[in-house]
Amino acid sequence: MGTVVVVGSINADLLVRVSDLPAPGETVLALGATNAAGGKGQAQAVAAARFGAQTGFISIIGDDADGHDALAGLQREGVGTSLVRRSRARTGRAVVATDASGENSIIVIPGANAELDSLTTDDEKAIHEADVVLMQLENGTKVATEAVRCAHKAGVTVILNAAPPPDLSPDALIDLIRDVDILIVNEGECLRIGGGPDVDSSARSLARFARAVVVTLGAAGGALFRGEGAPLRLPALDVDAVDTTGAGDSFCGVFAAAIAEGRALESAFQLALVAGSIATLTEGNVPSSPTREQIMTTSGRL
Ligand code: RIB
């Protein structure tokens, strides 16, 4: 079992089902709505724990029902919550609209997440003791940059899921990713931060700084770029997706847990793709995260 420390957000998601996502200026009627635990940090921490990693979580909640529910849920999953602080601001929320094909659009209301902007001595100690540190950018780039530096200095593997894509100058972006071992982005994030005319050239330009760049490509699977070489392209499972919300976060959490338990990049990549595919079969983010058994059984059949 490896140890993963996740630095990231907690959100209470309002999931809204629509026939078609609204275009700018358009109003649409929902087919239904429900609540579920979400936030990229929380979902990635749960995914890592369900895969079997000993998982610690540096995060923040408000002193409200959403925060208390999230904490109780994380504890049920076996995620360590001693480094989750309390804020006077409300726990983060998100509206996740999903259309009939399973595609979504997400609006995040950061709330307490915006106040996680630096690491404590206890956070640094947990990072030093981890095999892998995994972070996203819903708490902003300041705490992420600090966590990247702290982990890199301690020789801990650093995985950054650059979501949502940061609005940084080229120098600040390089400063964020130069000590990252594995950068995970989806196509849109890759184009936005890589700045190239297409996904491949953008990923190659990012791979000049991070040790490896993984681009998730939805139903088309993903591509792993290292240095100048040809990328390793692997497919996703052929599934009838009902909701893609949890796919990326399950991918990242399982990827981190697999690296933490000593697997090679290629193996972690393959297991993460299986996890992401399974996650599209269930509505919601945290609820859709598969167990280790589901992932191993499914990947054994490939
Ligand atoms: O990656 C999906 C997540 O993005 C949702 O759970 C939502 O809370 C936002 O963080």
Coordinates of all heavy atoms in Angstrom, one line a residue, residues 11 13 38-40 94 106 108 138 245 249 285, ligand 1:
N11 N -16.4 20.2 -2.5 CA -17.6 20.9 -2.9 C -18.8 20.0 -2.6 O -18.7 18.8 -2.7 CB -17.6 21.2 -4.4 CG -16.6 22.2 -4.8 OD1 -16.2 23.1 -4.0 ND2 -16.1 22.1 -6.0
D13 N -22.0 19.2 -4.6 CA -22.4 19.4 -6.0 C -24.0 19.4 -6.1 O -24.6 18.5 -5.5 CB -21.9 18.3 -6.9 CG -20.4 18.4 -7.1 OD1 -19.8 19.5 -6.7 OD2 -19.8 17.5 -7.7
G38 N -18.8 16.3 -4.0 CA -17.9 16.5 -5.2 C -16.7 17.4 -4.8 O -16.3 17.5 -3.6
G39 N -16.2 18.1 -5.8 CA -15.0 18.9 -5.6 C -13.8 18.0 -6.0 O -13.8 16.8 -5.7
K40 N -12.9 18.5 -6.8 CA -11.9 17.7 -7.4 C -11.0 17.1 -6.3 O -10.6 15.9 -6.4 CB -11.0 18.5 -8.4 CG -11.9 19.0 -9.6 CD -11.1 19.8 -10.6 CE -11.9 20.6 -11.5 NZ -13.0 19.8 -12.2
A94 N -20.8 23.5 -6.2 CA -20.7 23.5 -7.6 C -22.1 23.1 -8.2 O -22.8 22.3 -7.7 CB -19.6 22.6 -8.1
I106 N -19.7 22.9 -15.7 CA -19.6 23.0 -14.3 C -19.3 24.4 -13.9 O -18.4 25.1 -14.5 CB -18.5 22.1 -13.7 CG1 -18.7 20.6 -14.1 CG2 -18.3 22.2 -12.2 CD1 -17.7 19.6 -13.6
V108 N -18.2 26.4 -10.4 CA -17.8 26.2 -9.0 C -17.9 27.5 -8.2 O -17.5 28.6 -8.7 CB -16.3 25.7 -8.9 CG1 -15.9 25.7 -7.5 CG2 -16.2 24.4 -9.6
E138 N -8.3 24.1 -7.8 CA -9.6 24.7 -7.3 C -9.3 25.6 -6.1 O -10.2 26.4 -5.7 CB -10.7 23.7 -7.1 CG -11.3 23.3 -8.4 CD -12.6 22.4 -8.2 OE1 -12.7 21.8 -7.1 OE2 -13.4 22.4 -9.1
T245 N -19.0 13.3 -15.1 CA -18.5 14.2 -14.0 C -17.3 13.6 -13.2 O -16.4 14.3 -12.9 CB -19.6 14.6 -13.0 OG1 -20.7 15.0 -13.7 CG2 -19.2 15.6 -12.0
D249 N -11.6 12.8 -12.2 CA -11.1 12.7 -10.8 C -10.8 11.3 -10.4 O -9.8 11.0 -9.7 CB -12.1 13.4 -9.8 CG -12.2 14.9 -10.1 OD1 -11.2 15.5 -10.5 OD2 -13.3 15.4 -9.9
N285 N -20.0 12.7 -8.7 CA -18.6 12.6 -8.7 C -18.1 11.6 -7.7 O -17.8 10.4 -8.1 CB -18.0 14.0 -8.5 CG -16.5 14.0 -8.8 OD1 -15.9 13.0 -9.1 ND2 -15.9 15.2 -8.7
Ligands
RIB1 O1 -14.3 17.4 -11.6 C1 -15.6 17.5 -11.3 C2 -15.8 18.4 -10.1 O2 -15.5 19.7 -10.5 C3 -17.2 18.5 -9.5 O3 -17.4 17.5 -8.5 C4 -17.3 19.9 -9.0 O4 -17.4 20.0 -7.6 C5 -16.0 20.6 -9.5 O5 -15.0 20.6 -8.5

